[in-house]
Amino acid sequence: MGFRKPTTVAQVTEAVRKSDPLARPVVTLGVGSGRHPFLYALLSGGIADGDSFFVTLTDRSVLFHEVASAGYRPGKLRYDIEHEQFRARIGEVRRRVLWSIFRFRFPGESEAAWLNVQRAWRPEMDRFLDVLDGYRLGAEATDGRSS
């Protein structure tokens, strides 16, 4: 099981190779969807489901792998989204002390989902957004002192 971040990133890199052998991973982060991450974490007991993803920015696209329920490992590839489409679908970004969030409209959905990023993944989130064509945490982001 990849409960340590380096182990998890290595497992996700292997899953990316299986999903798209030509892709080169740039940055990976773990996210969970939903409006209330603390409540979700309490109710789920830390068990992942189809609403938790490993998001990997590659040189070719952005990949969303489900977090497998049998440990904190990458599961099935759920979405493979081109960079331009991803940029068009991302919304509000909020940097917070424990949980940072950004809104993203998944393909086939009419409303954007809240994607929650734990503090441990925040540096990867910042790098992810910066690398994705210079998307900056400036005017689009708030420090998140209020919800």
Side-chain angles (χ1 to χ4, degrees):
M1 280 188 224
F3 288 112
R4 294 184 40 170
K5 191 165 30 170
T7 304
T8 299
V9 170
Q11 292 169 347
V12 173
T13 300
E14 183 59 31
V16 168
R17 280 192 198 119
K18 289 179 183 174
S19 300
D20 186 354
L22 301 176
R24 185 179 56 82
V26 176
V27 64
T28 296
L29 64 142
V31 301
S33 65
R35 188 71 172 108
H36 303 285
F38 289 117
L39 182 60
Y40 173 76
L42 286 173
L43 294 177
S44 70
I47 299 170
D49 62 11
D51 294 326
S52 298
F53 301 98
F54 291 113
V55 182
T56 305
L57 174 66
T58 71
D59 57 344
R60 298 165 50 96
S61 63
V62 178
L63 304 176
F64 282 79
H65 283 91
E66 289 181 358
V67 176
S69 58
Y72 196 63
R73 309 187 74 149
K76 177 177 105 175
L77 177 64
R78 187 96 169 262
Y79 301 101
D80 183 348
I81 303 169
E82 294 177 6
H83 292 166
E84 290 301 319
Q85 286 182 358
F86 190 89
R87 280 187 212 96
R89 294 171 177 274
I90 194 168
E92 182 179 359
V93 176
R94 294 185 191 168
R95 238 175 144 247
R96 300 195 175 182
V97 176
L98 296 176
W99 292 87
S100 295
I101 58 173
F102 62 92
R103 291 183 59 95
F104 182 74
R105 189 173 47 82
F106 287 105
E109 298 293 324
S110 59
E111 290 190 30
W114 292 97
L115 296 182
N116 307 297
V117 181
Q118 289 182 339
R119 182 181 189 153
W121 292 102
R122 191 167 57 195
E124 286 81 4
M125 181 187 90
D126 292 344
R127 183 166 175 241
F128 180 94
L129 294 173
D130 281 345
V131 169
L132 192 64
D133 198 25
Y135 187 91
R136 301 286 176 220
L137 290 174
E140 297 92 349
T142 62
D143 66 1
R145 292 208 174 105
S146 65
S147 241

